[in-house]
Amino acid sequence: MSGDGHLLPIASNADVVAVRRQVRALAVDVGLSLVDQTKVVTAASELARNALVYAGGGRASIEIVENGVRKGLRLSFIDEGPGIPDLALALTDGWTTGSGLGLGLGGSRRLVDEFDLISAPGKGTTVTVTKWAR
Ligand SMILES: Nc1ncnc2c1ncn2[C@@H]1O[C@H](COP(=O)(O)OP(=O)(O)O)[C@@H](O)[C@H]1O
Ligand SMILES: [Mg+2]
């Protein structure tokens, strides 16, 4: 992680709120538009909540990235929970094993520019998303 990185625990609802706040602050710093700030904060909220609900907690890594032209925000949500057996199914809108709407993963993917989901049963889950400033 670069010097711009932040690592935050996800162990409670209050932690999810803290992640949201930190993502919002850094989204402002990298110059994301108000609409894009809200998109990335919404994605962060869904992914942090998934780590809390389905894995009993995890951590969020938040870093500012640059590709030579643009700045962006890259977020990883990492847990050591049960993992996801079928990634395509988990990304299907409306599919849930919980009491949610089943829109968190698919919705988050649509709200960001890059989306990477790594998970396997017994190996935990890592979701990494990037939002670039325009
Ligand atoms: N971090 C995770 N660990 C284990 N399973 C997960 C995780 N995130 C998502 N899932 C699985 O993927 C399903 C879909 O997640 P999501 O799209 O956020 O909808 P919802 O949270 O409303 O169920 C969840 O019901 C759960 O079975
Ligand atoms: Mg969810």
Side-chain angles (χ1 to χ4, degrees):
M1 178 181 293
S2 74
D4 289 324
H6 299 249
L7 200 52
L8 298 178
I10 303 169
S12 66
N13 285 316
D15 288 343
V16 175
V17 174
V19 167
R20 286 179 65 103
R21 191 173 295 134
Q22 188 66 250
V23 169
R24 174 74 71 176
L26 291 172
V28 172
D29 285 352
V30 299
L32 288 174
S33 70
L34 190 53
V35 168
D36 283 348
Q37 290 170 32
T38 299
K39 287 180 178 178
V40 75
V41 168
T42 301
S45 189
E46 291 294 331
L47 298 172
R49 190 154 301 286
N50 280 353
L52 183 61
V53 170
Y54 301 112
R59 57 202 193 276
S61 143
I62 309 170
E63 60 182 323
I64 292 171
V65 289
E66 276 188 70
N67 67 5
V69 180
R70 293 169 173 180
K71 280 188 167 188
L73 206 53
R74 180 164 294 151
L75 316 175
S76 289
F77 298 84
I78 304 147
D79 70 60
E80 274 84 49
I84 302 174
D86 187 331
L87 299 186
L89 201 52
L91 282 160
T92 302
D93 284 348
W95 191 84
T96 179
T97 61
S99 54
L101 295 174
L103 293 170
L105 287 173
S108 296
R109 181 163 63 171
R110 290 189 290 272
L111 290 171
V112 298
D113 297 314
E114 295 168 25
F115 181 96
D116 184 44
L117 170 59
I118 301 172
S119 187
K123 298 213 168 147
T125 298
T126 296
V127 188
T128 301
V129 301
T130 306
K131 191 80 180 165
W132 295 105
R134 301 205 178 256

